[in-house]
Amino acid sequence: MFSHEAEKDSFPRYGDLSPSAMLDAMALLDGPPDVVCLSGWVKGFHSAEPPLGAGYFGFDETTTQVGGGRMLGHPVRTFSSTHERSHLLSAYGMSDLENGSPCYALVWEGNIGSFYEFTPDLRIRRLSSVLEDPGNKYQHIFALADPSSSAQHGGFRFSNAGKMMALTGFARNTPVSRAEGELIDYILDQPSILLTTPKEKLAWSPFHDIGVESQEFKDLAAKHSAAIFERFLAVAERELTGGLPLLIAGGCGLNCDWNSQWRDSGLFPEVFVPPCPNDSGSAIGTAIDAQLFFSGDAKISWDVYSGPRFAHDRTHEELGEVFDVSALDLGQVARLLASGSVLAWVQGNCEMGPRALGNRSLLAAPFQEGTRDRLNFIKQRESYRPIAPVCREEDVSEHFVWDGPSPYMLYFQRVRDTRLRAVTHVDGTARAQTVNAGQNPRLHGLLSAFRRETGAGVLCNTSLNLPGRGFINSTGDLVAHVLDRGIDGFVLDDHLFLTRAGRGVRADGRAGRA
């Protein structure tokens, strides 16, 4: 029915659940629910701390807690299962597999790195524990190399992993050196790495505080990433030989390079990664687990655009004092983008999960490298961060080495179209989202109009958010961001709002910089 996350509406990324999110969710209910679910967690930073609800670890049904209570004067059932199960059930319940279909599952995240199997009676058995702390170990070398990282918890930051993924594309294809191999092996062998391996313990490494934009670190980042994947691939090749589909969950499911390698491995007839494989999908997974417990059904209907509704806290009259306001004309928007404008694009409800998929986006033409630089400047991001493209599904193989849909921006593709310089990473890849007319008709319509204008149904698509915050979800925040960062205007539902300062419009409706 809906998915409310702590970071949406410009709250800090990776934040605790806000009272407003709880109130917004309660406003969407007709009355007290039948079952109130608590996704298992811990009372603190690390999984070693005391459990909350069913706790962090546990993959079978013996860890589930069921009870009773009251909400708003009404009796309710209560349910809690582990964080580990929340990942497993979110991937299973959101996949296209029929209820009772057997499959493999991979959960790899900060603490857990294991393969599992779903049996036809929806039991889960763990096949292999491959690597403790894969996500924490993946980001650890970024913290090691970054002089600005703190000494606490080995310099851990949630944002490290995404930056690492960008930097691996700059690596040279060189053999693993002795220094690289020693550091990689050391990190992968450490237990509870955030608790046991502070930065000073690795001062012996030549990569300590070397700087994350040094070529030496970029080379290391790619080799470290490859070493982690190879450990999991070796186990999969040895033990996952039954020809079943693979479901992927956990924060490492946001690593597009690894997802692409699983898809291309030839081991599985199908690979599914939900749009919220990280902890943003945990509440959904626990709800699916509760549904399975009470009804025997582990499948749900869902839509990726199930996040919060947009808060219209400014009137058109107020906006008209600052912007030129007109009815939405997709052809006009396409011409503005083709002429170099950067526009915020807001439609319907927020996306669930961390990726902007065309409802809370910044859009721009994909042809100039300078557009990538401008978008990174607007978002106040590092210059090495790539910008993702959004493409009409029917055109994807024209522009990328890819066939079929990729609706959640979770895979890398080789770029085939040399015109797409703004969205082509230094290694020749892009993280494309495909859109069809049924999935997001208005965005598809804009891409079609842009194709008629330029010959390419592809746009730059990056998330509409303040630095370190979740998606913008109110008119006030949107207006402030547009004016503060020099964005040329925005589309909000059925209207186009263009900034007046610094903008000239020619008689043909095309935008030009004054």
Side-chain angles (χ1 to χ4, degrees):
M1 293 173 60
F2 59 84
S3 172
H4 281 255
E5 299 162 37
E7 66 182 37
K8 299 296 167 66
D9 194 20
S10 300
F11 282 93
R13 299 285 309 275
Y14 319 109
D16 294 330
L17 188 63
S18 65
S20 63
M22 290 291 297
L23 292 171
D24 289 343
M26 291 174 68
L28 294 172
L29 297 176
D30 294 330
D34 299 312
V35 183
V36 177
C37 307
L38 175 64
S39 194
W41 195 244
V42 293
K43 297 177 178 178
F45 165 74
H46 196 275
S47 59
E49 301 198 48
L52 175 66
Y56 203 98
F57 298 106
F59 60 88
D60 63 26
E61 65 278 2
T62 62
T63 58
T64 297
Q65 299 176 357
V66 181
R70 297 181 69 80
M71 174 176 279
L72 302 176
H74 292 264
V76 295
R77 302 298 301 273
T78 60
F79 178 91
S80 182
S81 62
T82 65
H83 183 65
E84 188 171 359
R85 278 184 68 89
S86 78
H87 282 313
L88 288 161
L89 270 298
S90 66
Y92 191 89
M94 297 178 74
S95 74
D96 290 333
L97 298 176
E98 294 185 2
N99 197 53
S101 297
C103 64
Y104 298 126
L106 167 61
V107 174
W108 51 353
E109 45 113 79
N111 295 277
I112 301 167
S114 298
F115 286 112
Y116 309 80
E117 182 179 0
F118 279 85
T119 63
D121 60 355
L122 295 178
R123 306 281 183 179
I124 300 172
R125 63 190 189 100
R126 185 163 57 199
L127 301 177
S128 179
S129 294
V130 182
L131 181 66
E132 180 190 359
D133 288 359
N136 294 336
K137 289 173 177 175
Y138 177 78
Q139 68 84 43
H140 204 76
I141 62 166
F142 187 97
L144 173 68
D146 182 6
S148 70
S149 63
S150 70
Q152 186 179 21
H153 302 306
F156 173 83
R157 287 175 299 206
F158 284 106
S159 61
N160 288 352
K163 296 175 184 179
M164 271 273 295
M165 188 169 66
L167 287 165
T168 59
F170 292 86
R172 298 170 297 190
N173 186 19
T174 57
V176 178
S177 69
R178 180 175 179 179
E180 290 169 335
E182 287 178 349
L183 178 61
I184 291 169
D185 289 342
Y186 182 86
I187 288 177
L188 296 189
D189 289 342
Q190 295 309 297
S192 301
I193 192 165
L194 299 188
L195 302 179
T196 62
T197 314
K199 280 189 67 172
E200 57 265 26
K201 193 173 182 179
L202 293 169
W204 52 266
S205 170
F207 298 98
H208 185 274
D209 283 345
I210 195 173
V212 296
E213 295 195 54
S214 65
Q215 186 61 54
E216 292 81 3
F217 176 74
K218 294 170 183 175
D219 295 343
L220 171 68
K223 294 166 187 175
H224 183 61
S225 177
I228 293 174
F229 183 82
E230 286 164 5
R231 288 207 179 189
F232 283 85
L233 179 63
V235 174
E237 289 175 334
R238 184 175 67 248
E239 299 189 24
L240 277 62
T241 58
L244 298 177
L246 176 68
L247 310 179
I248 296 176
C252 295
L254 294 172
N255 188 307
C256 299
D257 181 32
W258 289 345
N259 289 343
S260 298
Q261 291 186 72
W262 285 124
R263 185 179 186 267
D264 297 339
S265 69
L267 297 175
F268 312 103
E270 178 185 353
V271 175
F272 173 73
V273 189
C276 46
N278 59 347
D279 290 351
S280 63
S282 291
I284 296 171
T286 302
I288 294 170
D289 202 4
Q291 180 179 285
L292 171 62
F293 179 87
F294 288 107
S295 73
D297 184 6
K299 304 301 298 182
I300 60 170
S301 299
W302 60 279
D303 187 289
V304 73
Y305 305 110
S306 296
R309 300 169 182 168
F310 192 80
H312 295 270
D313 56 6
R314 298 289 189 277
T315 66
H316 278 200
E317 289 75 17
E318 291 174 305
L319 295 176
E321 297 176 2
V322 183
F323 300 93
D324 291 336
V325 185
S326 60
L328 176 61
D329 178 334
L330 294 180
Q332 180 189 11
V333 175
R335 290 191 293 274
L336 289 165
L337 292 169
S339 298
S341 292
V342 173
L343 298 175
W345 175 268
V346 176
Q347 298 292 316
N349 290 18
C350 275
E351 300 88 336
M352 67 168 71
R355 300 270 162 84
L357 302 174
N359 276 19
R360 301 291 183 274
S361 293
L362 275 177
L363 302 179
F367 306 122
Q368 303 298 325
E369 290 185 14
T371 302
R372 179 190 63 234
D373 298 333
R374 184 184 175 196
L375 290 170
N376 277 332
F377 172 79
I378 288 171
K379 291 173 64 66
Q380 300 176 50
R381 300 196 318 177
E382 297 83 359
S383 61
Y384 59 78
R385 302 285 289 274
I387 298 295
V390 59
C391 175
R392 297 199 318 170
E393 185 180 306
E394 58 266 39
D395 301 334
V396 65
S397 60
E398 175 184 338
H399 304 291
F400 307 96
V401 182
W402 186 269
D403 292 313
S406 180
Y408 309 129
M409 205 185 286
L410 290 169
Y411 297 92
F412 281 145
Q413 298 88 6
R414 302 295 303 180
V415 179
R416 177 174 279 151
D417 188 340
T418 58
R419 295 175 296 171
L420 307 181
R421 292 184 288 274
V423 296
T424 302
H425 200 27
V426 66
D427 61 356
T429 66
R431 188 182 70 193
Q433 175 203 0
T434 62
V435 174
N436 61 48
Q439 174 197 3
N440 193 323
R442 182 158 285 177
L443 180 59
H444 185 271
L446 175 61
L447 290 166
S448 298
F450 191 77
R451 182 179 176 87
R452 290 191 293 271
E453 188 71 22
T454 67
V458 183
L459 286 168
C460 296
N461 172 29
T462 188
S463 55
L464 179 61
N465 63 297
L466 305 169
R469 305 266 167 172
F471 298 152
I472 287 172
N473 204 48
S474 71
T475 315
D477 284 350
L478 175 60
V479 168
H481 186 55
V482 167
L483 297 178
D484 178 63
R485 302 308 301 165
I487 300 169
D488 298 305
F490 60 93
V491 174
L492 175 55
D493 297 333
D494 297 321
H495 289 82
L496 170 66
F497 301 81
L498 293 176
T499 55
R500 292 180 181 139
R503 183 187 58 83
V505 179
R506 302 197 298 266
D508 60 2
R510 294 176 180 268
R513 292 299 167 80

